[in-house]
Amino acid sequence: MDYTATQSGFRQQPNMRLRNSSMDGSEGSQLFEDTSRATPGSQAGYRTQQTGPQAAGYPGQSMMQDPMSHLAMTYGASLASQGREMMDKNLDRFIPISKLKYYFAVDTVYVGKKLGLLVFPYMHENWEVSYQQDTPVAPRFDVNAPDLYIPSMGFITYVLVAGLALGTQNRFTPELLGVQASSALVWLIMEVLAVLLSLYLVTVNTDLTTIDLLAFSGYKYVGMIIGVVAGLLFGRLAYYLSLLWCCAAIFVFMIRTLRLKLLSEAAAEGRPVRGTRNQLRMYLTMSIAAAQPIFMYWLTYHLIR
């Protein structure tokens, strides 16, 4: 009986070892991950981990791609800079952009003084333009320097005031306002061209440029605006009185400004003008100044009724 027990125990001992071995095997299997039962998400993550370094590529590949992109960007930038230089060079032949910046270099103080000089030029003594290293100073530093801000703003304001005057008379239409603006612009261009032709025929050597003539010819819009506004507020008599004052002021302003540009140094210093050429310059100066009141009346008389 003991033998049977020991025999049964002897026989059962392998079974216990088998169970322990199976248990040990199950516990030992937990030390390693069973990839056969992995979820699709974990397999996808494993694939992404495997393909991540492959997507980065080897160092030689990045070195081959970067120089080509850098070369393309450099070539495109050079083409853009060359195109910009060619455009600026060709545009500067017709419209001197660098010079236009000078004529718009103004401030509030300059505009106020210039408007006062255009309306009341009789007490002003020094009409010479200041220079710095053979170049004229900016208009904001010298009230005698010509500018394009006041003429351009004066032209726009004149068109708006003309539209207001036509509206008060029940004659306003967009077409009529366009005709008013275009006619004023055409007369201004014709005036500048006539002065340039006269300077060429008289053979005057002057530092006046086309932009200078455009600026001086555009100052008359200030007096035109004053006359039309006075006529709208106080009637036809106020229009004539204010326009007469502004015409006389612009005449004096043009004479004293252009005589330093067109006449000789002797005439600028107040000495007698001698010679046929100097007399022609004097007549030309008088003609340019006398043309301003004519244009001022021609472009405004029909706006006041």
Side-chain angles (χ1 to χ4, degrees):
M1 188 171 181
D2 295 331
Y3 176 77
T4 305
T6 57
Q7 186 177 4
S8 61
F10 179 79
R11 290 177 181 175
Q12 290 177 358
Q13 186 175 1
N15 292 333
M16 294 296 294
R17 290 178 179 177
L18 290 175
R19 290 194 188 106
N20 293 332
S21 63
S22 62
M23 290 177 65
D24 294 336
S26 62
E27 292 176 358
S29 62
Q30 293 179 358
L31 297 176
F32 304 96
E33 183 179 0
D34 188 4
T35 58
S36 62
R37 293 181 297 176
T39 59
S42 62
Q43 293 180 359
Y46 180 76
R47 290 193 186 96
T48 55
Q49 293 178 359
Q50 292 292 333
T51 58
Q54 295 179 0
Y58 53 90
Q61 184 177 0
S62 60
M63 292 178 63
M64 291 177 61
Q65 292 179 356
D66 292 340
M68 295 299 295
S69 61
H70 179 70
L71 180 61
M73 292 177 61
T74 305
Y75 183 70
S78 63
L79 286 180
S81 61
Q82 292 178 2
R84 182 177 181 182
E85 291 178 358
M86 293 180 60
M87 183 183 67
D88 294 340
K89 184 178 180 180
N90 294 327
L91 185 62
D92 193 65
R93 295 180 180 177
F94 304 98
I95 304 176
I97 303 298
S98 59
K99 294 182 179 180
L100 287 179
K101 294 180 180 179
Y102 164 81
Y103 290 94
F104 284 95
V106 299
D107 55 6
T108 307
V109 177
Y110 168 82
V111 173
K113 291 182 178 180
K114 194 73 170 187
L115 292 177
L117 185 61
L118 291 172
V119 177
F120 196 82
Y122 308 105
M123 302 300 295
H124 192 65
E125 296 180 357
N126 185 16
W127 293 86
E128 295 182 357
V129 179
S130 301
Y131 283 81
Q132 183 179 5
Q133 297 180 355
D134 297 334
T135 57
V137 298
R140 63 175 175 266
F141 301 118
D142 186 11
V143 71
N144 296 323
D147 71 285
L148 286 179
Y149 177 79
I150 293 178
S152 59
M153 293 296 103
F155 178 81
I156 297 174
T157 307
Y158 162 72
V159 175
L160 296 177
V161 172
L164 178 62
L166 294 174
T168 56
Q169 301 170 9
N170 296 326
R171 295 189 298 140
F172 176 80
T173 58
E175 294 79 9
L176 187 58
L177 185 63
V179 171
Q180 188 73 24
S182 60
S183 62
L185 184 60
V186 168
W187 280 113
L188 179 63
I189 295 175
M190 291 179 61
E191 179 186 356
V192 173
L193 293 178
V195 174
L196 290 175
L197 181 60
S198 301
L199 293 176
Y200 175 77
L201 295 177
V202 180
T203 63
V204 176
N205 294 325
T206 178
D207 57 351
L208 276 176
T209 62
T210 305
I211 304 178
D212 292 335
L213 295 176
L214 187 63
F216 289 131
S217 300
Y219 286 139
K220 61 177 171 287
Y221 291 113
V222 176
M224 295 164 57
I225 295 169
I226 295 175
V228 174
V229 171
L232 292 176
L233 295 178
F234 306 105
R236 196 174 185 86
L237 181 59
Y239 161 75
Y240 282 113
L241 292 178
S242 59
L243 186 66
L244 181 62
W245 176 272
C246 293
C247 287
I250 197 66
F251 181 82
V252 174
F253 174 83
M254 296 294 287
I255 289 291
R256 294 184 178 181
T257 302
L258 294 179
R259 72 183 180 89
L260 299 177
K261 301 290 186 179
L262 300 181
L263 300 180
S264 61
E265 295 180 357
E269 294 175 358
R271 291 181 295 187
V273 178
R274 297 177 182 178
T276 306
R277 180 171 297 180
N278 286 334
Q279 290 181 357
L280 290 177
R281 292 178 179 181
M282 183 181 63
Y283 294 151
L284 180 60
T285 304
M286 297 289 291
S287 301
I288 297 174
Q292 306 306 311
I294 297 175
F295 284 113
M296 293 173 65
Y297 176 75
W298 176 259
L299 294 174
T300 56
Y301 78 97
H302 60 282
L303 298 176
I304 303 299
R305 290 185 178 180

